[in-house]
Amino acid sequence: MHNRVVAFAPGRVEILGNHTDYNEGVVLSAAIDCGVTASVHRLRQRQIEVSSQTNQRTASAHLDELSPSATEPWANYCFGVIRELMAVRWPVLGLGIEIASDLPVGAGLSSSAALEVATAFAAIDLANWSLPPMKIAQLCQKAENEFVGVKCGLLDQASSIFGEDNRAILLDFRSIAAQTYQLPDGVSLLLLNSGIPHALTGGEYNERREQCQAAAAALQVTALRDTTTTQVLNSDLDPLVKRRALHITGENERVFAGREALLAGDVDAFGELMFASHESSRHNFENSTPNLDALVEIAKSTNGVIGSRLTGGGFGGSTVSLIRSEVAQKIIDSMQKKYLRATGAQCSAILTRPSQGARILRRD
Ligand code: ADP
Ligand code: MG
């Protein structure tokens, strides 16, 4: 058995398919090239000791008394994962866990899932144990849902695990399966932060979930996954609920069309789907903001941008754009300048590409 194992788990970006996860739909996402590193070693005591270089904090808990910490809430992501591992009969070890990260925290790139997945990969490997990758994703999601108390879908954890270099991940939240598709050469992903923090803490997220559920109930289907844009258009749903449902059916249909575009190597068709996705967020789901709209409008008029849309929950946060790599710096400079002129606000940029998912970096 090794003394120390170092695991890495990346952040993720949603490329197409917005708010589809809790509607049992589909999404195209990618793991990105920055993330969280967890270095773990065994402790003699039945104790978990976590430290993070990022926030310079430490926390510890007894393995037999794992309960959420009110004073060190960041450590709950690790404690929660360990508790879930114990529930599936992971050979329990006292563990020291050291966390480092080059992922911005709270920027919508899912540092929380990266933290969970890195912890899980390292802890499982150190014990010479294994679990199917999707099981690890679900276990990490459960830790965040139940131990941390954040209602997130499976997108974040599964993307961090199933990422591959230069490939997009198609996640199906009904069959709980992941498949990857090659992106053409010479394209990158550009994330621009609108500078307005995404405020999913407001009632909007829950309200949208309820409206989707109401639409599915009125249409007498299990979930909006089971209906189509045509059926929704022809239904007599209340106009507001109808628009919400149209966003979900449209997004599912765009994800499948996006897969066809990738298989055909038609990057321009893929870009158009991204613009259409944003338009649907703006009009149907109303989870955009004037600043996100400004970023997408600017993207449309910038040479080398293939497609652009808001990414993640919305109500603030970032846009993701598919761009031509050779003019990346020009695009960033130009878009930042135009955004400042249009809104008076700055937008920070992260240039990335679809990257390999969680993995073991070292065993000593
Ligand atoms: P996101 O997942 O979009 O980055 P979240 O609010 O879901 O935002 O997760 C951020 C939280 O995850 C932080 O507030 C912190 O508690 C925890 N976290 C993430 N990365 C680290 C890290 N490197 N060190 C300590 N805590 C971290
Ligand atoms: Mg998160």
Side-chain angles (χ1 to χ4, degrees), residues 12 35-37 50-57 72-78 99-116 144 148 150 152 156 198:
R12 65 94 188 94
V36 171
T37 303
V50 203
S51 63
S52 169
Q53 272 180 24
T54 312
N55 59 10
Q56 304 281 322
R57 308 282 307 173
E72 303 292 339
W74 62 276
N76 290 332
Y77 295 89
C78 302
I99 300 298
S101 172
D102 61 355
L103 201 57
V105 166
L109 300 177
S110 211
S111 67
S112 57
L115 178 57
E116 292 147 17
E144 185 155 343
V148 180
V150 174
C152 58
D156 302 351
H198 64 125

Side-chain angles (χ1 to χ4, degrees), residues 190 302-305 323-338 351:
L190 174 62
T302 303
N303 268 339
V305 177
I323 66 166
R324 305 214 181 269
S325 310
E326 75 223 11
V327 283
Q329 198 49 54
K330 253 196 199 150
I331 292 173
I332 294 171
D333 293 344
S334 154
M335 286 189 68
Q336 285 181 325
K337 222 179 278 166
K338 289 182 198 167
L351 183 64

